[in-house]
Amino acid sequence: MPNLKNMKCLLFILTLLLFSCDFNGKNGIEIYQLNWRSIDFLENNRKGNYCDLKINQEDLFDKPILTDSDIAHFDWNSQELILTEKGRVKIDLLKIPLDGLAVAMILNGEIIYGFWFLNSESPYGCGGVYSEPKLDFKLKFGQADGYDYGKDPRFDSRIKEYLKTRN
């Protein structure tokens, strides 16, 4: 019969393992596609910034396009994500329509901001946050001087703090 001390030690280790597991897939940085149709950029009666994305949790697809494990490094100053080989393959296989793909930056399950994956062959621009991930994975804000709208959300302190602790 096992002694009580060994049983307590085993229970303690199992408890630590249980609490260190992530059952919701909500650890670190994730990028989700949004359940939105593409925006008609030529729609004449629509005013405002097409790149200003107001997002709710129900707007997110069930599974992320990229997870934290797909990101080898996030350069805070240049806002560039360096992907692992697995992450690069995911992006290479991703179909990005000419009018873009709406996505969201998520940190530990919390929506930080929305942005656009743009197709490098697209004639459309964006005055908010965007990336052309098949060329490079730099998160940029406003495609031309004077063509930026609102506050730049890229340098969110929650992401900066997370990156300090990320291995």
Side-chain angles (χ1 to χ4, degrees):
M1 176 178 239
N3 70 30
L4 188 58
K5 185 176 180 179
N6 287 344
M7 292 294 285
K8 284 183 181 180
C9 184
L10 181 61
L11 184 59
F12 177 74
I13 291 170
L14 289 173
T15 302
L16 283 177
L17 287 173
L18 179 67
F19 284 108
S20 68
C21 290
D22 175 31
F23 295 107
N24 297 320
K26 296 186 178 183
N27 273 339
I29 295 170
E30 296 175 310
I31 296 176
Y32 278 80
Q33 183 177 345
L34 301 180
N35 286 316
W36 293 0
R37 290 178 1 155
S38 296
I39 293 174
D40 181 359
F41 288 93
L42 302 176
E43 187 179 326
N44 290 329
N45 62 356
R46 179 148 182 168
K47 301 212 185 302
N49 176 18
Y50 294 102
C51 296
D52 184 19
L53 306 176
K54 306 288 190 240
I55 305 164
N56 297 312
Q57 202 70 33
E58 54 273 358
D59 294 326
L60 305 177
F61 268 49
D62 292 336
K63 294 184 179 184
I65 294 171
L66 295 172
T67 65
D68 202 75
S69 65
D70 297 319
I71 302 167
H73 179 69
F74 188 142
D75 185 315
W76 175 253
N77 294 323
S78 69
Q79 289 292 298
E80 182 172 11
L81 283 78
I82 308 299
L83 300 179
T84 64
E85 184 60 34
K86 182 177 124 193
R88 188 80 247 154
V89 168
K90 287 180 179 181
I91 290 298
D92 288 343
L93 294 173
L94 187 63
K95 303 283 189 242
I96 301 174
L98 282 177
D99 53 354
L101 186 68
V103 295
M105 174 73 69
I106 309 296
L107 179 62
N108 294 327
E110 182 179 357
I111 298 168
I112 304 299
Y113 62 86
F115 65 104
W116 286 92
F117 279 167
L118 296 183
N119 184 316
S120 60
E121 297 176 17
S122 174
Y124 302 115
C126 183
V129 179
Y130 71 95
S131 180
E132 294 173 289
K134 293 190 185 241
L135 294 179
D136 62 26
F137 209 131
K138 287 188 178 180
L139 299 168
K140 303 166 191 158
F141 183 72
Q143 281 189 303
D145 289 337
Y147 188 61
D148 55 352
Y149 295 94
K151 183 178 179 241
D152 184 351
R154 296 174 299 157
F155 294 93
D156 189 289
S157 62
R158 294 168 289 185
I159 297 172
K160 185 175 186 178
E161 290 305 310
Y162 170 73
L163 292 175
K164 289 179 183 177
T165 65
R166 188 173 189 254
N167 294 332

